C-alpha cells in the first residue's frame, strides 16, 4: 500500500498527516525518484516490525532492504548445525512482495558470531571448513534472490592494518579472497562486496581497503563492490567523500553507501535537524554524482528503530523519520537529491499529531505545529476521531470535542509560531478497541 498524506491550505497554513503519514501529498516516493535516477534507496529492517506503519513505509518508500541482524551468523546458526532462517526468509518474502532488492548482510565478521564458533578452538583447516560451509549454505539458500552480499565486514583497523579477528588470526588475510571465491561459487549472480565503517573519506583505513580491492581485482578474485557504511556525526561528512567514492569506482568496482545514519546529541532541535538535512543531502549528492555509486541504504529509516541510542550515550535522532514515523527534514533532503521538490509546494506550517504514551483505557497525545518559510499569529487545529476516542483534558491549547470532531486553538500565550519555530500542545483522552491516528488539519 502506498501511504497518502492529506494536504490542505493554499496559504501559510498547511496540514500534514501526523504519525502514520509519510510525507506531503505532492511527494513522489523515494523509491520512484531513485529508480528514475537508476539508484537504489534502501533501508535496514527488523523482520518482526514489518507490519502496520513500519511495514507500509518500508514497502512504499524503499526499493532495497538489508536485514539489520537476520542474516548474521549468530542468528542463522545459533548452535552448531541448527539453522534459523525465519527472520531472513520473512524479509526476503516481504521484499519480493514489494518488488524490492535485498542486500545480504553479512557473511564474515568478527562480531555477532555464535558462542560455539567464537569460543571454540579450531585448527586452520577446521576454521576454513566452517567458514566455507557457512558461506556456501547461506548464499545457496538465497541464490538468485539477493542483489548483493556484504561478504566481508569490517576487516580493517583505523590505521589500515588488518583487524585481529577469529578469521585473520586463524587463516591470515587471504580469508577475504577465499570468502569471496566461495560466495561467488554459490551464487554467481549476486554482487559481492567488502563493507566497512570510517572509510567514507580518504584516510589510512579507506586507503588500505582501496589497496586490497586493487590487489583482489589484479588477482582475479570475484569482488564487485565496496560498501561504505557511513555512520556519520552531525556536521561531519568528510570533505573527501565524493572523491573517495570516485577513486573506488575508478578501480572498476561499484560503490554502495550501505548503513547511512547521521547522529546528533539529543535533544534534537530545529537547527540540528536542518544541519542533518544538509548532511544527508551531501551524502546523497555524492552518490548521485558518481555513476558507479549504486545507491544509499539507511541503517533503519525511523528513529524508533535505530541502534544509535543504545550505543552512543546521549546521541540519537539519526534517521530520516522521527520515532512517530513523521518524515524529518532529512527525508526531504533525500527526496531533493533524488530529484524531488525541495519544499512543500504551498504553505509551510505543518501540524503533526502523535501518541506520546498509551495505557489500557487512556492515552496522552500531542500536536506539534512547526513553520518553515512562513509564520502564524494564531492557529486552530482540527481532526475527527475514527474510533470513539474522547479528549478529557488539554494543555497549551483550548480544545473542544463535539461527537468525533475535535477543535483546538491556541492559548493566549502561544498563538505566534515564528518562521523556523514550533509550538506543541498536549492532551489526555480515552480509547478502546483501537487508537488510530487521525488526519489533522491546520487552519
Ligand atoms: O543494527 C545492528 C544492531 O541491531 C546490532 O545490535 C549491532 C551489533 O553490533 O549491529 C548493528 O548493525 C551493525 C552492522 O551489522 C555493521 N556495521 C555497524 C552496525 C551498527 O553496529
Amino acid at each position: 500500500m502506498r501511504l497518502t498524506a492529506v494536504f490542505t491550505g493554499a496559504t501559510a497554513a498547511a496540514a500534514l498527516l501526523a504519525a502514520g503519514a509519510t510525507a506531503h501529498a505532492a511527494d513522489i516516493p523515494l523509491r520512484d525518484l531513485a529508480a528514475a535516477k537508476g539508484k537504489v534507496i534502501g533501508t535496514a529492517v527488523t523482520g518482526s516490525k514489518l507490519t502496520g506503519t513500519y511495514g507500509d513505509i518500508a514497502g512504499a518508500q524503499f526499493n532495497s532492504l538489508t536485514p539489520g541482524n537476520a542474516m548474521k551468523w549468530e542468528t542463522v546458526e545459533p548452535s552448531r548445525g541448527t539453522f534459523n532462517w525465519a527472520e531472513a526468509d520473512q524479509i526476503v518474502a516481504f521484499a519480493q512482495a514489494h518488488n524490492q532488492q535485498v542486500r545480504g548482510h553479512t557473511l564474515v565478521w568478527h562480531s555477532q558470531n555464535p558462542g560455539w564458533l567464537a569460543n571454540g578452538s579450531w585448527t586452520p583447516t577446521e576454521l576454513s571448513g566452517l567458514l566455507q560451509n557457512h558461506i556456501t549454505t547461506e548464499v545457496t539458500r538465497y541464490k538468485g534472490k539477493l542483489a548483493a552480499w556484504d561478504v566481508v565486514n569490517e576487516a580493517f583497523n583505523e590505521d589500515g592494518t588488518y583487524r585481529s579477528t577469529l578469521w585473520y588470526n586463524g587463516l591470515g588475510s587471504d580469508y577475504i579472497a577465499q570468502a569471496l571465491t566461495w560466495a561467488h561459487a554459490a551464487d554467481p549472480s549476486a554482487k559481492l562486496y567488502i563493507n566497512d565503517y570510517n572509510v567514507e573519506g580518504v584516510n589510512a583505513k579507506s586507503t588500505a581497503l582501496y589497496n586490497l580491492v586493487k590487489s583482489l581485482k589484479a588477482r582475479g578474485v570475484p569482488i564487485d563492490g565496496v560498501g561504505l557504511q557511513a555512520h556519520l556525526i552531525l556536521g561531519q561528512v568528510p570533505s573527501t567523500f565524493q572523491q573517495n567514492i570516485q577513486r573506488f569506482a575508478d578501480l572498476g568496482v561499484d560503490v554502495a553507501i550501505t548503513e547511512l545514519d547521521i547522529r546528533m546529541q539529543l535533544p534534537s532541535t530545529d537547527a540540528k535537524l536542518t544541519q542533518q538535512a544538509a548532511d544527508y543531502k551531501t551524502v546523497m549528492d555524492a552518490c548521485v554524482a558518481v555513476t558507479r555509486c549504486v545507491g544509499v541504504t539507511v541503517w533503519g529509516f525511523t528513529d524508533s528503530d535505530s541502534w544509535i541510542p543504545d550505543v552512543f550515550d546521549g546521541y540519537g535522532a539519526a534517521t530520516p523519520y522521527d520515532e512517530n514515523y513523521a518524515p524529518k527534514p532529512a527525508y526531504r533532503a533525500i527526496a531533493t537529491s533524488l530529484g524531488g521538490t525541495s519544499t512543500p509546494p504551498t504553505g509551510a506550517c505543518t501540524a503533526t499529531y502523535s501518541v506520546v504514551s498509551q495505557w489500557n483505557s487512556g492515552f496522552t497525545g500531542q500536536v506539534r505545529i512547526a513553520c518553515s518559510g512562513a509564520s502564524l499569529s494564531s492557529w486552530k487545529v482540527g481532526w475527527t476521531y475514527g474510533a470513539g476516542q474522547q479528549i478529557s483534558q488539554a494543555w497549551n491549547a483550548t480544545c473542544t470535542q463535539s461527537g468525533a470532531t475535535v477543535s483546538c486553538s491556541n492559548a493566549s500565550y502561544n498563538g505566534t509560531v515564528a518562521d523556523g519555530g514550533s509550538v506543541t500542545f498536549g492532551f489526555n483522552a480515552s480509547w478502546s478497541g483501537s487508537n488510530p491516528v487521525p488526519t489533522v488539519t491546520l487552519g
Side-chain angles (χ1 to χ4, degrees):
M1 180 190 94
R2 285 284 151 83
L3 291 173
T4 53
V6 174
F7 174 80
T8 60
T11 67
L16 183 69
L17 249 193
T22 60
H24 191 276
D27 282 335
I28 298 166
L30 298 180
R31 61 180 292 171
D32 295 349
L33 295 170
K37 288 210 176 288
K39 299 286 179 183
V40 166
I41 184 76
T43 180
V45 289
T46 303
S48 60
K49 298 184 180 176
L50 282 170
T51 60
T53 305
Y54 183 98
D56 287 344
I57 296 175
Q61 295 286 335
F62 299 94
N63 59 15
S64 176
L65 300 182
T66 302
N69 291 300
M71 290 185 173
K72 292 172 181 173
W73 199 323
E74 74 172 2
T75 306
V76 300
E77 197 181 1
S79 50
R80 193 170 181 182
T82 305
F83 292 92
N84 174 10
W85 306 106
E87 190 191 351
D89 285 356
Q90 182 201 352
I91 292 170
V92 172
F94 182 98
Q96 288 178 336
H98 292 81
N99 193 24
Q100 296 168 305
Q101 293 186 4
V102 178
R103 196 177 171 87
H105 176 86
T106 177
L107 296 167
V108 192
W109 195 20
H110 62 274
S111 187
Q112 291 186 276
N113 287 321
W116 66 263
L117 173 67
N119 304 328
S121 105
W122 313 104
T123 66
T125 308
E126 287 169 334
L127 196 58
S128 176
L130 284 167
L131 185 58
Q132 179 173 11
N133 188 49
H134 170 70
I135 290 173
T136 305
T137 303
E138 185 155 5
V139 177
T140 302
R141 182 173 183 88
Y142 297 107
K143 182 180 178 190
K145 297 181 176 171
L146 268 54
W149 269 106
D150 291 329
V151 177
V152 177
N153 199 33
E154 301 172 2
F156 288 102
N157 294 314
E158 299 304 293
D159 65 1
T161 55
Y162 282 107
R163 187 193 286 267
S164 157
T165 68
L166 173 69
W167 309 114
Y168 179 76
N169 297 340
L171 303 173
S173 64
D174 228 38
Y175 80 89
I176 295 172
Q178 287 174 326
L180 289 160
T181 303
W182 292 326
H184 182 69
D187 186 355
S189 69
K191 300 286 185 195
L192 305 182
Y193 280 69
I194 303 179
N195 192 49
D196 216 324
Y197 65 92
N198 287 352
V199 290
E200 293 73 32
V202 175
N203 58 36
K205 192 176 186 179
S206 66
T207 299
L209 180 58
Y210 176 89
N211 290 331
L212 170 64
V213 171
K214 193 173 176 181
S215 82
L216 291 171
K217 290 283 286 182
R219 288 169 58 192
V221 175
I223 169 83
D224 300 296
V226 169
L228 312 180
Q229 293 184 9
H231 294 292
L232 302 175
I233 300 170
L234 190 73
Q236 295 184 31
V237 182
S239 59
T240 51
F241 191 59
Q242 186 176 323
Q243 175 195 338
N244 192 43
I245 295 173
Q246 187 67 58
R247 74 168 170 158
F248 280 106
D250 291 344
L251 283 179
V253 292
D254 291 340
V255 178
I257 312 305
T258 51
E259 304 183 16
L260 176 63
D261 49 30
I262 303 179
R263 62 185 179 268
M264 62 178 71
Q265 214 159 3
L266 297 172
S268 77
T269 62
D270 288 343
K272 289 182 199 173
L273 292 172
T274 300
Q275 175 66 51
Q276 185 184 51
D279 294 342
Y280 265 90
K281 182 143 187 318
T282 302
V283 172
M284 293 298 305
D285 286 350
C287 185
V288 168
V290 179
T291 309
R292 286 204 80 142
C293 186
V294 298
V296 176
T297 289
V298 294
W299 204 243
F301 64 86
T302 162
D303 291 340
S304 65
D305 185 43
S306 168
W307 68 296
I308 296 290
D310 297 336
V311 175
F312 297 98
D313 218 16
Y315 282 79
T319 79
Y321 285 82
D322 75 13
E323 56 287 330
N324 295 314
Y325 299 119
K328 293 158 58 179
Y331 169 91
R332 191 158 296 284
I334 296 171
T336 303
S337 182
L338 292 172
T341 53
S342 60
T343 52
T346 57
C349 295
T350 57
T352 306
Y353 175 112
S354 52
V355 174
V356 177
S357 65
Q358 182 169 300
W359 55 99
N360 51 3
S361 61
F363 68 100
T364 298
Q366 72 172 33
V367 174
R368 179 172 182 266
I369 299 152
C371 291
S372 173
S375 61
L376 294 170
S377 56
S378 68
W379 46 262
K380 196 170 176 180
V381 175
W383 64 88
T384 302
Y385 275 131
Q389 299 100 318
Q390 177 67 49
I391 291 191
S392 56
Q393 180 193 10
W395 50 95
N396 297 331
T398 304
C399 292
T400 58
Q401 181 166 352
S402 162
T405 307
V406 177
S407 176
C408 298
S409 49
N410 59 273
S412 58
Y413 51 85
N414 64 0
T416 300
V417 187
D419 184 359
S422 65
V423 163
T424 300
F425 69 89
F427 55 88
N428 285 332
S430 62
W431 70 287
S432 73
S434 68
N435 187 17
V437 167
T439 300
V440 177
T441 51
L442 172 64

